[in-house]
């Protein structure tokens, strides 16, 4: 499938961080490398950072964004909130160009052909700075889960684009010396995993406290992963020693049983 503004995971490599952000580049690597080994990585595609710039170009939104953000004093919380809300309003109000919209819906249709018409997807933000591909903007932009239907998908995409200007993201960029107009947003659209029916977790390729690279650190809990990511639940923890694992030996160095007192699941209908 050849498109200008979307890229499926099997066509994404880690070198594509400036185009799709770190999150989507990593998902592409996982899908390409692990799927052939039998690991069930959900398929999906990225809307590129070029699409974000194209959206704002077509809407003529750059001058209005400059008016909203130029001269911002991040220490003035009231002013930051007012300007951030205005910036998000500008981006969310920018209509998706017809060709971009067609590509996104074509990608969604392809996922439906693979997984069935009842498919629901996660719509995930993946910010990137083109001239600083190592920059990290993790957790600053929006993600939407369990999205079904074309209208809901397109609306979630517009909300993700607008979330590049959350108050937190604006403040962080100023603190770190990033230019608001050199940072762009890519969006990952992927099959939603029903972890609410079982468990979810986070795996790190090293020890997060010491930086020791010969272990894998895994945390896990019941239900959707939001509680684990936000630190709202005390999860199970496992430390796996890589050299022993590669030799087929017992590799779990330590396991800690968490209390896992809360579980996040889907609700049906309005709440």
């Amino acid at each position: 499938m050849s498109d200008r503004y979307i890229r499926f995971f099997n066509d994404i490599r880690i070198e594509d961080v400036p185009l799709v952000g770190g999150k989507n580049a990593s998902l592409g690597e996982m899908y390409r490398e692990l799927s052939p080994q039998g690991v069930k990585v959900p398929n999906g595609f990225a809307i590129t950072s070029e699409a974000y710039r194209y959206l704002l170009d077509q809407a003529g939104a750059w001058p209005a964004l400059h008016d909203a953000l130029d001269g911002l004093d991040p220490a003035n919380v009231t002013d930051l909130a007012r300007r951030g809300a205005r910036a998000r309003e500008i981006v969310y109000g920018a209509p998706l160009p017809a060709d971009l919209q067609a590509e996104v819906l074509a990608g969604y249709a392809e996922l439906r052909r693979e997984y069935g018409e009842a498919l629901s997807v996660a719509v995930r933000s993946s910010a990137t700075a083109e001239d600083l591909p190592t920059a990290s903007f993790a957790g600053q932009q929006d993600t939407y889960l369990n999205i079904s239907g074309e209208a809901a998908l397109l609306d979630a995409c517009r909300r993700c684009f607008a979330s590049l200007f959350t108050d937190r993201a604006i403040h962080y960029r100023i603190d770190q010396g990033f230019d608001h107009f050199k940072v762009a947003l890519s969006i990952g659209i992927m099959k939603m995993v029903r972890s609410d029916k079982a468990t979810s977790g986070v795996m790190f390729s090293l020890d997060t406290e010491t930086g020791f690279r010969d272990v894998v650190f895994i945390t896990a809990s019941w239900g959707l992963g939001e509680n684990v990511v936000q630190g709202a639940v005390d999860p199970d923890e496992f430390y796996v020693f890589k050299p022993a694992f590669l030799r087929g030996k017992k590799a779990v160095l330590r396991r800690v049983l968490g209390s896992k007192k809360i579980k996040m699941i889907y609700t049906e209908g309005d709440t």
Side-chain angles (χ1 to χ4, degrees):
M1 186 174 182
S2 177
D3 291 288
R4 184 177 179 186
Y5 297 114
I6 72 169
R7 186 84 65 86
F8 268 82
F9 287 169
N10 61 352
D11 293 324
I12 295 175
R13 290 163 174 73
I14 201 65
E15 294 81 12
D16 293 320
V17 168
L19 185 66
V20 299
K23 182 184 296 177
N24 286 332
S26 296
L27 284 166
E29 284 284 317
M30 290 173 63
Y31 185 82
R32 289 190 310 104
E33 298 296 330
L34 298 180
S35 296
Q37 300 182 43
V39 179
K40 294 182 178 180
V41 180
N43 196 9
F45 61 91
I47 304 173
T48 67
S49 57
E50 291 178 353
Y52 164 79
R53 295 188 176 95
Y54 175 56
L55 167 74
L56 297 187
D57 285 345
Q58 292 297 300
W62 297 110
L65 281 174
H66 274 286
D67 288 343
L69 297 171
D70 288 351
L72 169 64
D73 177 8
N76 186 333
V77 177
T78 301
D79 191 43
L80 171 62
R82 181 183 62 81
R83 289 173 179 255
R86 175 58 184 150
R88 292 191 296 275
E89 182 181 79
I90 292 166
V91 178
Y92 180 69
L96 292 174
D99 53 345
L100 172 57
Q101 182 172 305
E103 287 189 20
V104 172
L105 294 182
Y108 181 51
E110 187 163 322
L111 288 180
R112 276 180 155 177
R113 285 192 290 272
E114 180 177 353
Y115 292 114
E117 288 297 313
L119 169 73
S120 62
V121 295
V123 183
R124 310 177 66 189
S125 299
S126 185
T128 184
E130 186 169 328
D131 54 345
L132 292 169
T134 58
S136 174
F137 305 99
Q140 296 178 20
Q141 282 78 42
D142 290 350
T143 285
Y144 296 92
L145 305 180
N146 201 32
I147 299 298
S148 297
E150 293 182 346
L153 173 62
L154 294 176
D155 185 68
C157 290
R158 292 168 60 214
R159 291 182 185 279
C160 280
F161 281 136
S163 73
L164 189 60
F165 296 99
T166 62
D167 297 355
R168 176 187 174 192
I170 292 171
H171 202 299
Y172 175 84
R173 289 195 293 268
I174 293 174
D175 288 344
Q176 300 300 318
F178 291 111
D179 185 333
H180 297 301
F181 303 99
K182 289 186 178 179
V183 176
L185 192 92
S186 170
I187 298 173
I189 298 170
M190 61 189 297
K191 180 186 185 297
M192 186 73 205
V193 176
R194 291 301 302 269
S195 56
D196 60 306
K197 295 184 176 181
T199 62
S200 59
V202 178
M203 183 172 72
F204 299 91
S205 59
L206 47 68
D207 181 3
T208 55
E209 293 186 2
T210 66
F212 183 52
R213 292 187 171 276
D214 279 348
V215 297
V216 171
F217 176 43
I218 303 169
T219 63
S221 186
W222 306 116
L224 294 166
E226 182 74 7
N227 290 327
V228 179
V229 174
Q230 297 296 332
V233 67
D234 183 20
D236 295 339
E237 298 181 352
F238 304 88
Y239 286 86
V240 180
F241 189 49
K242 296 177 188 177
F245 178 81
L246 293 173
R247 292 197 300 268
K249 306 295 184 180
K250 291 184 177 179
V252 179
L253 296 178
R254 187 175 77 188
R255 54 170 61 89
V256 177
L257 185 66
S259 60
K260 306 182 293 296
K261 289 185 177 180
I262 57 176
K263 175 182 178 181
M264 183 179 290
I265 61 173
Y266 288 123
T267 59
E268 298 295 338
D270 296 331
T271 58

